[in-house]
């Protein structure tokens, strides 16, 4: 995989997350107790021996820069190859799209020594090794390979890309965010493409005034390009809305899902938080929950994901909720189906109840 | 130093210190920055500030630390059969040496030599380039110093003093004014920069950190007898009838030139055990060197025995522990195992415990310390115990008042520890497989 580089596109900011991504990108949305969404794709790349990774961001995002740091946690701070964060040259209010952004950084691609690009966004949560998919791409002599997963449930999900395949795994049709579901093959939004073709595509798009690589570059040229689909069989979660974000977090409480993500070879790396082990006091009652380091638990927790440095006081009761970093839950409060963003304080005897299909979101640093 | 070297007049110094006092850092840094400003202008001052204020000429350091980590730790028995004592896990996510290293880093001492000898592999790979403790620095950092062969032969470290003697070259490379000698097997949080300030204030040749211990335990320590101004009058190593309860913590600051002289004298003395406590300190005292005791108030524990290692872990579980691990101003750093957050199962109970990331718990845990990657099966009970990294406990196991070494697998229906005796500790070594339906007490290795 020495010949493969990674490109992670974090320019998308879907609007279906209530207050959760107003001050951060989707990429840095906290997930699973100690991770951010981008950790999964970034770790997958590193675990597939991809060490030249470019993150394309729409603007200079503090949450992203802070999370990535020097990228040493992902081993992407080496002399030979490393992590690059690439933002637009000028901040304009015009949307230049991902094609426009890549066009501004064609130099980066020219200077990279690799010939194949894995192009992805940060919304997929999985533990994938790209070696097989890249081999498939090379064997098929494909122009582009789309990773997909077939699902029997024909439930319409927002922000999905669906593909149609012929018997030869060749992609015959592709639809982005359709309202009705006409195919059971859901794209992982991970594409394998040769570097020269990607550069050519970007150049063509921009010179024709088009903006989006997948929509304008791939979908519109689906018949003229040799596009193949690679079937990915492992666990996959696509975070495309608040509901799916909430449900996929909760799914981690199922041992099979936890195992698929964390017990397979290939660790998921993340920014190191220097917090002591979680401290359970003698009044603590914890059932079926994920708890991160630095937490002090005195209260009652059931079916929850608790992020680092959260304090749950004695007499607090939390069920089916996501509690993010440094939040404080005081005595007597009762929370159910709630997502608390970072540094929220819930004072004594407050009751907050959401619904399984519509969790209640409390924004960052709010004190209730 | 300032007056002797004639860099500044005392008046200027006071003025400049008042100015540079706004810079964060120990007062030594501020002094050096002040001198740098006088001699070399703002650029030299800035350079010196950036370099921790410890250099006159690159790479001179005001103070460097030497950590004695070569001991076999034979009293920890099977826990140290594969690793040196300072690499023994402690407190759910740390190793014992993390405390000394974090103290150095938090005290602004970034040049650290670690003297290793016995089973150095785990310790070497753990220390790496010192990044977790912020010691991966351009002109400083952590250096592992094993004994080595030179022209005319080489030899093992014969004692703590000899270990330093053999590394005079390393120390001279930094041309330090002071040298801090630490032991790698104590658990405590201490600001060495305050001790260094005290040492300079006292104009001592040696300062020994000391702590008040209960009278009945005093005969286990090196006891210091002091005059009112904290000058040491007498030093007694493990006295039968202690005159005082002020014990040496095994933390020393020496003026390097003075220490070097005594190390050289000690080396040619064939009757010497080449030990700091038994030889160097008494000889210095007999020769009338000015020696002071620095009084430390806080939690300090020598975790050199199985009982004290277990007790120190249990101390962390108190309602208001004396040793806090979550102090944002004095972090204890450790490596990152990159494990997911812990999972507590549907029928699990966890209370009065410290549990680290990567644990997967389906049984009952009470008053215990669980390190990274420990798994506990259904129906199992862990009480008053310390389970080191990646211990796998099967179903319906009971572990009571025990320490279980790293990577050990305990199969279903096993009973570890004594059922009735509440005093005795059971210790299971690392990387073992304990088969099903066993009942084990005592030391298993």
């Amino acid at each position: 995989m020495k010949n493969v580089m990674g490109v992670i596109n974090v320019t998308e900011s879907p609007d279906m997350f209530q207050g959760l991504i107003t001050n951060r990108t989707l990429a840095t949305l906290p997930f699973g107790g100690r991770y951010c969404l981008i950790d999964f794709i970034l770790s997958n790349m590193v675990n597939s021996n991809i060490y030249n990774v470019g993150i394309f961001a729409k603007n200079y995002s503090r949450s992203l820069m802070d999370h990535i740091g020097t990228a040493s946690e992902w081993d992407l701070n080496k002399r030979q190859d490393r992590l690059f964060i690439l933002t637009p040259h000028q901040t304009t209010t015009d949307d230049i799209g991902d094609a426009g952004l890549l066009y501004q950084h064609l130099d980066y691609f020219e200077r990279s020594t690799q010939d194949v690009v894995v192009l992805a966004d940060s919304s997929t949560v999985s533990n994938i090794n790209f070696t097989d998919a890249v081999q498939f791409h090379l064997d098929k002599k494909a122009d582009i390979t789309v990773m997909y997963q077939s699902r029997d449930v024909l439930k319409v999900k927002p922000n999905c890309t669906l593909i149609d395949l012929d018997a030869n795994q060749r992609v015959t049709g592709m639809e982005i965010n359709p309202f009705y579901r006409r195919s059971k093959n859901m794209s992982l939004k991970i594409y394998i493409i040769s570097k020269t073709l990607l550069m050519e595509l970007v150049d063509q798009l921009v010179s024709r005034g088009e903006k989006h690589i997948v929509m304008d570059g791939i979908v519109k040229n689906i018949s003229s390009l040799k596009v193949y689909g690679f079937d990915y069989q492992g666990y996959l979660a696509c975070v495309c809305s608040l509901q799916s974000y909430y449900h996929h977090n909760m799914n981690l409480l199922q041992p099979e899902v936890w195992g698929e993500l964390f017990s397979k070879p290939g660790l998921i790396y993340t920014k190191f938080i220097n917090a002591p082990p979680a401290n359970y006091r003698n009044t603590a009652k914890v059932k079926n929950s994920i708890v991160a380091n630095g937490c002090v638990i005195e209260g009652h927790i059931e079916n929850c994901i608790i992020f680092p440095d959260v304090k749950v006081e004695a007499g607090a009761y939390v069920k089916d909720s996501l509690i993010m970093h440094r939040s404080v839950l005081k005595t007597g409060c009762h929370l159910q189906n709630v997502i608390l963003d970072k540094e929220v304080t819930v004072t004594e005897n407050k009751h907050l109840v959401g619904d399984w299909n519509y969790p209640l979101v409390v924004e960052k640093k709010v004190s209730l | 130093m300032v007056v002797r070297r004639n860099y500044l007049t005392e008046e200027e110094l006071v003025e400049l210190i008042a100015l540079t006092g706004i810079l964060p850092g120990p007062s030594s840094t501020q002094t050096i920055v002040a001198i740098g400003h006088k001699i070399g202008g703002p650029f030299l001052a800035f350079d010196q500030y950036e370099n921790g204020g410890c250099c006159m000429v690159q790479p001179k350091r005001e103070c460097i630390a030497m950590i004695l980590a070569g001991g076999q730790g034979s009293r920890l028995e099977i826990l140290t059969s594969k690793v040196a004592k300072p690499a023994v896990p402690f407190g759910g996510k740390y190793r014992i040496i993390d405390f000394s290293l974090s103290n150095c880093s938090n005290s602004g001492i970034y040049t650290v030599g670690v003297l290793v000898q016995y089973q150095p592999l785990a310790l070497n790979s753990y220390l790496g380039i010192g990044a977790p403790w912020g010691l991966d620095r351009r002109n400083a950092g952590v250096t592992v110093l094993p004994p080595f062969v030179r022209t005319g032969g080489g030899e093992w470290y014969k004692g703590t003093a000899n270990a330093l003697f053999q590394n005079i070259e390393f120390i001279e490379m930094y041309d330090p004014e002071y040298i801090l000698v630490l032991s790698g097997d104590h658990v405590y949080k201490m600001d060495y920069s305050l001790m260094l300030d005290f040492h300079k204030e006292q104009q001592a040749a040696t300062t020994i950190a000391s702590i008040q211990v209960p009278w009945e335990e005093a005969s286990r320590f090196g006891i210091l007898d002091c005059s009112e101004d904290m000058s040491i009058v007498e030093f007694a190593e493990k006295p039968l009838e202690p005159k005082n309860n002020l014990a040496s913590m095994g933390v020393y600051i020496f003026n390097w030139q003075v220490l070097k002289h005594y190390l050289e004298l000690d080396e040619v003395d064939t009757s010497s055990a080449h030990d700091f406590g038994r030889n160097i300190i008494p000889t210095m005292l007999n020769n009338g060197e000015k020696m002071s005791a620095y009084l430390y108030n806080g939690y300090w524990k020598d975790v050199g025995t199985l009982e004290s290692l277990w007790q120190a872990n249990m101390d962390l579980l108190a309602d208001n522990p004396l040793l806090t691990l979550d102090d944002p101003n004095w972090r204890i750093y450790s490596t990152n195992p990159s494990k997911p957050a812990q999972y507590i199962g549907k029928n699990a109970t966890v209370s009065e415990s410290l549990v680290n990331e990567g644990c997967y718990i389906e049984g009952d845990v009470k008053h215990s310390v669980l390190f990274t990657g420990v798994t506990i099966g259904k129906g199992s009970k862990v009480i008053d115990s310390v389970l080191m990294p990646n211990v796998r406990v099967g179903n319906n196991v009971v572990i009571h008042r025990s320490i279980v070494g790293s990577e050990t697998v305990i199969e279903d229906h096993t009973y570890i520890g004594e059922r009735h005796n509440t005093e005795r500790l059971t210790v299971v070594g690392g990387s073992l497989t304990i088969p099903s339906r066993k009942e084990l007490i005592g030391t298993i290795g």
Side-chain angles (χ1 to χ4, degrees), chain A residues 10 56 187 232 258 281 342 346:
Chain A
V10 300
F56 286 80
S187 161
Y232 171 67
W258 201 88
R281 308 311 309 146
K342 294 182 182 180
V346 182

Side-chain angles (χ1 to χ4, degrees), chain A residues 34-35 73 253 255 258 262 267 269 272 274-282 284 286-293, chain B residues 91 93-94 317-319 331-332 334 336 338-346 348 350 352-357 360:
Chain A
R34 65 170 294 199
Y35 301 100
E73 308 293 355
L253 298 173
W258 201 88
F262 303 122
L267 293 171
Y269 309 100
F272 182 48
N274 200 78
N279 193 342
Y280 298 85
R281 308 311 309 146
N282 60 356
V286 183
K287 299 267 176 256
N288 195 36
S289 293
I290 287 173
V291 181
N293 274 9
Chain B
K93 77 178 277 194
Y94 311 95
L317 304 176
D319 276 335
R331 293 263 188 218
I332 304 302
S334 192
N336 177 9
S338 289
K339 286 287 174 68
Q342 58 207 259
Y343 173 74
I344 312 291
K346 285 190 176 76
V350 184
E352 294 174 74
S353 296
L354 286 178
V355 181
N356 199 17
E357 47 203 19
Y360 201 92

Side-chain angles (χ1 to χ4, degrees), chain B residues 263-398:
Chain B
L263 287 178
E264 281 162 353
L265 278 185
D266 178 72
E267 187 57 23
V268 292
D269 179 359
T270 47
S271 65
S272 170
H274 309 290
D275 185 80
F276 272 100
R278 273 186 285 171
N279 307 106
I280 301 283
I281 303 290
T283 317
M284 286 176 88
L285 207 54
N286 287 341
N287 286 7
E289 297 286 354
K290 159 100 171 144
M291 298 173 86
S292 297
Y294 173 76
L295 191 64
Y296 167 78
N297 295 310
Y299 182 92
W300 174 83
K301 192 132 193 153
D302 180 342
V303 288
T305 64
L306 290 168
E307 192 64 41
S308 67
L309 179 69
W310 178 83
Q311 189 57 51
N313 274 292
M314 294 298 128
D315 285 350
L316 297 171
L317 304 176
D319 276 335
N320 293 303
L322 294 166
L323 180 72
T324 51
L325 298 170
D326 54 355
D327 179 358
N329 299 318
W330 207 267
R331 293 263 188 218
I332 304 302
Y333 305 102
S334 192
T335 50
N336 177 9
S338 289
K339 286 287 174 68
Q342 58 207 259
Y343 173 74
I344 312 291
K346 285 190 176 76
N347 299 310
T349 60
V350 184
S351 66
E352 294 174 74
S353 296
L354 286 178
V355 181
N356 199 17
E357 47 203 19
C359 286
Y360 201 92
I361 298 169
E362 292 179 288
D364 297 344
V365 179
K366 193 170 166 54
H367 203 256
S368 295
V369 176
L370 270 51
F371 285 76
T372 316
V374 169
T375 59
I376 296 186
K378 290 178 182 123
S380 292
K381 285 186 175 24
V382 178
I383 305 153
D384 296 335
S385 295
V386 177
L387 306 192
M388 290 187 173
N390 305 319
V391 168
R392 297 217 313 273
V393 176
N395 300 332
N396 303 313
V397 171
V398 178

